[in-house]
Amino acid sequence: MTQTILLLNGPNLNLLGQRQPEIYGYETLEDVARIAHDAMAPGFDLRAEQSNHEGQLIDWIHEARHSACGIVMNPGAFTHTSVAILDALNAFEGPVMEVHISNVHKRESFRHHSYVSLRAEGVIAGLGVEGYAAAVRRICQIVTA
Ligand code: CA2
């Protein structure tokens, strides 16, 4: 049976490829979904969502409890602020991978702390959009191990 990986992107990531390419590159959110899709092992499929709203992201994480085997998430700025997203991820039983396009540790100090990292099996930062492919591959490995 096919297993679904949920790919979640948080606030402002809908602007990917349109602004600040020096930080986030030229690829769009559509490119991200394609890159993540291409990284999946056979027997997996991808559901890709983006929202600027914390509650919507939380609702998708709740749904994933019954529909997804793993979550790849770039929570955007909610990474650094949202205990609510951490709580939702803690209620999800499968593996979670946290992705940041930029190297958050090379940036402002408020980006150095992540609530989501308290839950994530792995954290990828600074690999650009290729980080999503690495995260998807890791979810497939963990789920099939
Ligand atoms: O590096 C990342 O992927 C971040 O999660 C991106 C967030 C930022 O708040 C995190 O600290 C690190 C911001 C996403 C904003 O995305 C934009 C993309 C293009 C143009 C403007 C914003």
Side-chain angles (χ1 to χ4, degrees), residues 10-20 23-24 74-80 99-104 107 110-111 132:
N12 298 309
L13 286 157
N14 53 310
L15 298 178
L16 215 53
Q18 299 174 39
R19 294 269 193 288
Q20 297 182 268
I23 301 176
Y24 300 114
N74 182 345
F78 290 146
T79 306
H80 319 297
V99 176
H100 300 288
I101 296 167
S102 64
N103 179 0
V104 285
R107 301 180 65 190
F110 65 81
R111 297 185 202 275
Y132 291 93

mmCIF file of all heavy atoms in Angstrom, residues 10-20 23-24 74-80 99-104 107 110-111 132, ligand 1:
data_model
loop_
_atom_site.group_PDB
_atom_site.id
_atom_site.type_symbol
_atom_site.label_atom_id
_atom_site.label_comp_id
_atom_site.label_asym_id
_atom_site.label_seq_id
_atom_site.Cartn_x
_atom_site.Cartn_y
_atom_site.Cartn_z
ATOM 1 N N GLY A 10 5.731 26.731 5.787
ATOM 2 C CA GLY A 10 5.062 27.749 6.582
ATOM 3 C C GLY A 10 5.064 29.130 5.946
ATOM 4 O O GLY A 10 5.241 29.265 4.736
ATOM 5 N N PRO A 11 4.887 30.153 6.781
ATOM 6 C CA PRO A 11 4.606 31.504 6.296
ATOM 7 C C PRO A 11 5.689 32.086 5.404
ATOM 8 O O PRO A 11 6.882 31.924 5.658
ATOM 9 C CB PRO A 11 4.470 32.320 7.588
ATOM 10 C CG PRO A 11 5.081 31.490 8.657
ATOM 11 C CD PRO A 11 4.915 30.062 8.241
ATOM 12 N N ASN A 12 5.204 32.765 4.372
ATOM 13 C CA ASN A 12 6.010 33.515 3.405
ATOM 14 C C ASN A 12 6.740 32.638 2.388
ATOM 15 O O ASN A 12 7.316 33.159 1.435
ATOM 16 C CB ASN A 12 7.005 34.457 4.115
ATOM 17 C CG ASN A 12 6.283 35.494 4.950
ATOM 18 O OD1 ASN A 12 5.385 36.162 4.446
ATOM 19 N ND2 ASN A 12 6.628 35.617 6.210
ATOM 20 N N LEU A 13 6.706 31.331 2.591
ATOM 21 C CA LEU A 13 7.426 30.473 1.648
ATOM 22 C C LEU A 13 6.717 30.382 0.290
ATOM 23 O O LEU A 13 7.305 29.919 -0.674
ATOM 24 C CB LEU A 13 7.693 29.101 2.265
ATOM 25 C CG LEU A 13 8.819 29.182 3.326
ATOM 26 C CD1 LEU A 13 8.743 28.036 4.316
ATOM 27 C CD2 LEU A 13 10.189 29.220 2.649
ATOM 28 N N ASN A 14 5.487 30.884 0.230
ATOM 29 C CA ASN A 14 4.821 31.023 -1.083
ATOM 30 C C ASN A 14 5.549 32.044 -1.966
ATOM 31 O O ASN A 14 5.362 32.056 -3.178
ATOM 32 C CB ASN A 14 3.349 31.427 -0.909
ATOM 33 C CG ASN A 14 3.172 32.652 -0.038
ATOM 34 O OD1 ASN A 14 3.725 32.718 1.054
ATOM 35 N ND2 ASN A 14 2.410 33.615 -0.509
ATOM 36 N N LEU A 15 6.400 32.874 -1.349
ATOM 37 C CA LEU A 15 7.139 33.889 -2.107
ATOM 38 C C LEU A 15 8.473 33.375 -2.658
ATOM 39 O O LEU A 15 9.217 34.129 -3.283
ATOM 40 C CB LEU A 15 7.412 35.117 -1.215
ATOM 41 C CG LEU A 15 6.187 35.853 -0.692
ATOM 42 C CD1 LEU A 15 6.614 36.994 0.212
ATOM 43 C CD2 LEU A 15 5.337 36.372 -1.849
ATOM 44 N N LEU A 16 8.747 32.113 -2.395
ATOM 45 C CA LEU A 16 10.016 31.524 -2.823
ATOM 46 C C LEU A 16 10.243 31.762 -4.320
ATOM 47 O O LEU A 16 9.335 31.554 -5.130
ATOM 48 C CB LEU A 16 9.958 30.024 -2.539
ATOM 49 C CG LEU A 16 11.228 29.315 -2.101
ATOM 50 C CD1 LEU A 16 11.869 30.000 -0.908
ATOM 51 C CD2 LEU A 16 10.892 27.870 -1.764
ATOM 52 N N GLY A 17 11.433 32.196 -4.652
ATOM 53 C CA GLY A 17 11.769 32.446 -6.055
ATOM 54 C C GLY A 17 11.381 33.830 -6.529
ATOM 55 O O GLY A 17 11.755 34.237 -7.633
ATOM 56 N N GLN A 18 10.637 34.571 -5.713
ATOM 57 C CA GLN A 18 10.166 35.900 -6.140
ATOM 58 C C GLN A 18 10.885 37.029 -5.426
ATOM 59 O O GLN A 18 10.874 38.170 -5.895
ATOM 60 C CB GLN A 18 8.673 36.032 -5.860
ATOM 61 C CG GLN A 18 7.821 35.022 -6.611
ATOM 62 C CD GLN A 18 6.373 35.106 -6.171
ATOM 63 O OE1 GLN A 18 5.850 36.182 -5.935
ATOM 64 N NE2 GLN A 18 5.723 33.952 -6.054
ATOM 65 N N ARG A 19 11.414 36.764 -4.228
ATOM 66 C CA ARG A 19 12.066 37.796 -3.415
ATOM 67 C C ARG A 19 13.284 37.177 -2.720
ATOM 68 O O ARG A 19 13.330 35.969 -2.511
ATOM 69 C CB ARG A 19 11.128 38.294 -2.293
ATOM 70 C CG ARG A 19 9.904 39.033 -2.737
ATOM 71 C CD ARG A 19 10.182 40.536 -2.810
ATOM 72 N NE ARG A 19 8.952 41.322 -2.941
ATOM 73 C CZ ARG A 19 8.201 41.380 -4.022
ATOM 74 N NH1 ARG A 19 8.529 40.670 -5.068
ATOM 75 N NH2 ARG A 19 7.126 42.144 -4.051
ATOM 76 N N GLN A 20 14.238 38.020 -2.349
ATOM 77 C CA GLN A 20 15.417 37.619 -1.572
ATOM 78 C C GLN A 20 16.110 36.356 -2.109
ATOM 79 O O GLN A 20 16.407 35.429 -1.334
ATOM 80 C CB GLN A 20 15.026 37.406 -0.107
ATOM 81 C CG GLN A 20 14.521 38.676 0.561
ATOM 82 C CD GLN A 20 14.201 38.444 2.023
ATOM 83 O OE1 GLN A 20 13.075 38.133 2.395
ATOM 84 N NE2 GLN A 20 15.208 38.593 2.857
ATOM 85 N N ILE A 23 19.206 34.925 -0.389
ATOM 86 C CA ILE A 23 19.058 34.073 0.812
ATOM 87 C C ILE A 23 18.394 32.740 0.454
ATOM 88 O O ILE A 23 18.836 31.676 0.894
ATOM 89 C CB ILE A 23 18.207 34.775 1.901
ATOM 90 C CG1 ILE A 23 18.855 36.090 2.321
ATOM 91 C CG2 ILE A 23 18.034 33.855 3.128
ATOM 92 C CD1 ILE A 23 18.031 36.889 3.330
ATOM 93 N N TYR A 24 17.318 32.804 -0.350
ATOM 94 C CA TYR A 24 16.487 31.613 -0.546
ATOM 95 C C TYR A 24 16.593 30.988 -1.934
ATOM 96 O O TYR A 24 15.967 29.965 -2.189
ATOM 97 C CB TYR A 24 15.017 31.956 -0.230
ATOM 98 C CG TYR A 24 14.831 32.417 1.197
ATOM 99 C CD1 TYR A 24 14.443 33.715 1.498
ATOM 100 C CD2 TYR A 24 15.080 31.550 2.262
ATOM 101 C CE1 TYR A 24 14.281 34.146 2.811
ATOM 102 C CE2 TYR A 24 14.938 31.963 3.578
ATOM 103 C CZ TYR A 24 14.538 33.265 3.847
ATOM 104 O OH TYR A 24 14.407 33.668 5.142
ATOM 105 N N ASN A 74 9.136 22.748 6.740
ATOM 106 C CA ASN A 74 9.844 24.011 6.917
ATOM 107 C C ASN A 74 8.831 24.956 7.548
ATOM 108 O O ASN A 74 7.970 25.504 6.853
ATOM 109 C CB ASN A 74 10.342 24.565 5.583
ATOM 110 C CG ASN A 74 11.128 25.850 5.780
ATOM 111 O OD1 ASN A 74 11.071 26.477 6.842
ATOM 112 N ND2 ASN A 74 11.860 26.251 4.747
ATOM 113 N N PRO A 75 8.915 25.135 8.858
ATOM 114 C CA PRO A 75 7.881 25.935 9.537
ATOM 115 C C PRO A 75 8.053 27.441 9.350
ATOM 116 O O PRO A 75 7.287 28.217 9.931
ATOM 117 C CB PRO A 75 8.064 25.559 11.015
ATOM 118 C CG PRO A 75 9.057 24.424 11.044
ATOM 119 C CD PRO A 75 9.856 24.535 9.800
ATOM 120 N N GLY A 76 9.058 27.865 8.560
ATOM 121 C CA GLY A 76 9.306 29.293 8.375
ATOM 122 C C GLY A 76 9.574 29.945 9.727
ATOM 123 O O GLY A 76 10.179 29.334 10.621
ATOM 124 N N ALA A 77 9.089 31.158 9.900
ATOM 125 C CA ALA A 77 9.356 31.885 11.153
ATOM 126 C C ALA A 77 8.675 31.239 12.355
ATOM 127 O O ALA A 77 9.100 31.461 13.504
ATOM 128 C CB ALA A 77 8.919 33.333 11.003
ATOM 129 N N PHE A 78 7.641 30.398 12.135
ATOM 130 C CA PHE A 78 7.005 29.700 13.259
ATOM 131 C C PHE A 78 7.992 28.747 13.952
ATOM 132 O O PHE A 78 7.774 28.348 15.095
ATOM 133 C CB PHE A 78 5.768 28.925 12.807
ATOM 134 C CG PHE A 78 4.604 29.790 12.410
ATOM 135 C CD1 PHE A 78 3.744 29.391 11.391
ATOM 136 C CD2 PHE A 78 4.352 30.999 13.041
ATOM 137 C CE1 PHE A 78 2.656 30.172 11.019
ATOM 138 C CE2 PHE A 78 3.272 31.796 12.676
ATOM 139 C CZ PHE A 78 2.428 31.383 11.657
ATOM 140 N N THR A 79 9.048 28.365 13.239
ATOM 141 C CA THR A 79 10.122 27.559 13.840
ATOM 142 C C THR A 79 10.545 28.122 15.187
ATOM 143 O O THR A 79 10.767 27.380 16.146
ATOM 144 C CB THR A 79 11.381 27.619 12.928
ATOM 145 O OG1 THR A 79 11.028 27.236 11.615
ATOM 146 C CG2 THR A 79 12.506 26.764 13.461
ATOM 147 N N HIS A 80 10.677 29.445 15.203
ATOM 148 C CA HIS A 80 11.317 30.120 16.331
ATOM 149 C C HIS A 80 10.314 30.611 17.374
ATOM 150 O O HIS A 80 10.709 31.163 18.396
ATOM 151 C CB HIS A 80 12.135 31.313 15.807
ATOM 152 C CG HIS A 80 12.875 31.021 14.540
ATOM 153 N ND1 HIS A 80 13.874 30.068 14.479
ATOM 154 C CD2 HIS A 80 12.746 31.500 13.267
ATOM 155 C CE1 HIS A 80 14.336 30.005 13.237
ATOM 156 N NE2 HIS A 80 13.661 30.860 12.483
ATOM 157 N N VAL A 99 13.302 21.262 7.894
ATOM 158 C CA VAL A 99 14.142 21.784 6.802
ATOM 159 C C VAL A 99 14.158 23.305 6.842
ATOM 160 O O VAL A 99 13.109 23.943 7.018
ATOM 161 C CB VAL A 99 13.603 21.333 5.418
ATOM 162 C CG1 VAL A 99 14.418 21.950 4.290
ATOM 163 C CG2 VAL A 99 13.613 19.813 5.303
ATOM 164 N N HIS A 100 15.360 23.860 6.667
ATOM 165 C CA HIS A 100 15.511 25.296 6.431
ATOM 166 C C HIS A 100 16.363 25.485 5.187
ATOM 167 O O HIS A 100 17.441 24.872 5.076
ATOM 168 C CB HIS A 100 16.134 25.997 7.628
ATOM 169 C CG HIS A 100 15.300 25.840 8.854
ATOM 170 N ND1 HIS A 100 14.109 26.511 8.998
ATOM 171 C CD2 HIS A 100 15.434 25.035 9.924
ATOM 172 C CE1 HIS A 100 13.560 26.142 10.132
ATOM 173 N NE2 HIS A 100 14.328 25.239 10.716
ATOM 174 N N ILE A 101 15.893 26.312 4.309
ATOM 175 C CA ILE A 101 16.618 26.558 3.060
ATOM 176 C C ILE A 101 17.939 27.266 3.353
ATOM 177 O O ILE A 101 18.986 26.916 2.806
ATOM 178 C CB ILE A 101 15.731 27.393 2.115
ATOM 179 C CG1 ILE A 101 14.482 26.598 1.743
ATOM 180 C CG2 ILE A 101 16.517 27.809 0.868
ATOM 181 C CD1 ILE A 101 13.391 27.435 1.084
ATOM 182 N N SER A 102 17.874 28.257 4.226
ATOM 183 C CA SER A 102 19.078 29.011 4.581
ATOM 184 C C SER A 102 19.746 28.372 5.794
ATOM 185 O O SER A 102 19.126 27.568 6.512
ATOM 186 C CB SER A 102 18.700 30.461 4.909
ATOM 187 O OG SER A 102 17.869 30.503 6.064
ATOM 188 N N ASN A 103 20.994 28.747 6.020
ATOM 189 C CA ASN A 103 21.686 28.308 7.232
ATOM 190 C C ASN A 103 21.300 29.263 8.361
ATOM 191 O O ASN A 103 21.898 30.327 8.531
ATOM 192 C CB ASN A 103 23.200 28.302 7.027
ATOM 193 C CG ASN A 103 23.928 27.870 8.287
ATOM 194 O OD1 ASN A 103 23.295 27.573 9.307
ATOM 195 N ND2 ASN A 103 25.238 27.849 8.237
ATOM 196 N N VAL A 104 20.296 28.854 9.106
ATOM 197 C CA VAL A 104 19.754 29.731 10.160
ATOM 198 C C VAL A 104 20.818 30.088 11.215
ATOM 199 O O VAL A 104 20.730 31.140 11.850
ATOM 200 C CB VAL A 104 18.519 29.089 10.841
ATOM 201 C CG1 VAL A 104 17.306 29.181 9.944
ATOM 202 C CG2 VAL A 104 18.780 27.639 11.232
ATOM 203 N N ARG A 107 22.692 33.309 10.630
ATOM 204 C CA ARG A 107 21.842 34.496 10.552
ATOM 205 C C ARG A 107 21.589 35.075 11.956
ATOM 206 O O ARG A 107 22.324 34.768 12.886
ATOM 207 C CB ARG A 107 20.549 34.125 9.811
ATOM 208 C CG ARG A 107 20.835 33.610 8.389
ATOM 209 C CD ARG A 107 19.572 33.248 7.653
ATOM 210 N NE ARG A 107 18.744 34.423 7.426
ATOM 211 C CZ ARG A 107 17.479 34.368 6.961
ATOM 212 N NH1 ARG A 107 16.939 33.185 6.688
ATOM 213 N NH2 ARG A 107 16.790 35.459 6.757
ATOM 214 N N PHE A 110 17.980 35.253 16.798
ATOM 215 C CA PHE A 110 16.623 34.753 17.064
ATOM 216 C C PHE A 110 16.265 33.569 16.168
ATOM 217 O O PHE A 110 15.306 32.851 16.450
ATOM 218 C CB PHE A 110 15.569 35.876 16.954
ATOM 219 C CG PHE A 110 15.403 36.471 15.571
ATOM 220 C CD1 PHE A 110 14.622 35.835 14.606
ATOM 221 C CD2 PHE A 110 16.016 37.670 15.232
ATOM 222 C CE1 PHE A 110 14.449 36.376 13.348
ATOM 223 C CE2 PHE A 110 15.856 38.226 13.964
ATOM 224 C CZ PHE A 110 15.083 37.579 13.019
ATOM 225 N N ARG A 111 17.050 33.358 15.107
ATOM 226 C CA ARG A 111 16.791 32.176 14.241
ATOM 227 C C ARG A 111 17.551 30.944 14.714
ATOM 228 O O ARG A 111 17.454 29.879 14.119
ATOM 229 C CB ARG A 111 17.181 32.480 12.788
ATOM 230 C CG ARG A 111 16.376 33.592 12.162
ATOM 231 C CD ARG A 111 16.716 33.768 10.689
ATOM 232 N NE ARG A 111 16.355 35.090 10.242
ATOM 233 C CZ ARG A 111 15.143 35.463 9.815
ATOM 234 N NH1 ARG A 111 14.170 34.578 9.749
ATOM 235 N NH2 ARG A 111 14.910 36.699 9.431
ATOM 236 N N TYR A 132 15.168 19.606 1.070
ATOM 237 C CA TYR A 132 13.875 18.896 1.076
ATOM 238 C C TYR A 132 14.045 17.468 0.549
ATOM 239 O O TYR A 132 13.407 16.539 1.040
ATOM 240 C CB TYR A 132 12.842 19.629 0.227
ATOM 241 C CG TYR A 132 12.376 20.953 0.787
ATOM 242 C CD1 TYR A 132 12.989 22.148 0.423
ATOM 243 C CD2 TYR A 132 11.293 21.015 1.663
ATOM 244 C CE1 TYR A 132 12.552 23.368 0.920
ATOM 245 C CE2 TYR A 132 10.846 22.228 2.169
ATOM 246 C CZ TYR A 132 11.484 23.403 1.800
ATOM 247 O OH TYR A 132 11.051 24.605 2.298
HETATM 248 O O1 CA2 B 1 15.683 29.195 5.869
HETATM 249 C C1 CA2 B 1 14.500 28.865 5.958
HETATM 250 O O2 CA2 B 1 13.973 28.018 5.239
HETATM 251 C C2 CA2 B 1 13.589 29.593 6.963
HETATM 252 O O3 CA2 B 1 12.728 28.624 7.541
HETATM 253 C C3 CA2 B 1 12.798 30.606 6.163
HETATM 254 C C4 CA2 B 1 11.931 31.510 7.021
HETATM 255 C C5 CA2 B 1 12.733 32.111 8.163
HETATM 256 O O4 CA2 B 1 11.885 32.861 9.008
HETATM 257 C C6 CA2 B 1 13.461 31.057 8.974
HETATM 258 O O5 CA2 B 1 14.213 31.695 9.976
HETATM 259 C C7 CA2 B 1 14.366 30.246 8.084
HETATM 260 C C8 CA2 B 1 11.359 32.651 6.194
HETATM 261 C C9 CA2 B 1 10.669 32.229 4.957
HETATM 262 C C10 CA2 B 1 10.462 33.426 4.094
HETATM 263 O O6 CA2 B 1 10.501 32.987 2.772
HETATM 264 C C11 CA2 B 1 10.650 33.924 1.801
HETATM 265 C C12 CA2 B 1 10.994 33.452 0.563
HETATM 266 C C13 CA2 B 1 11.192 34.338 -0.448
HETATM 267 C C14 CA2 B 1 11.027 35.696 -0.238
HETATM 268 C C15 CA2 B 1 10.690 36.165 1.019
HETATM 269 C C16 CA2 B 1 10.478 35.264 2.038
#
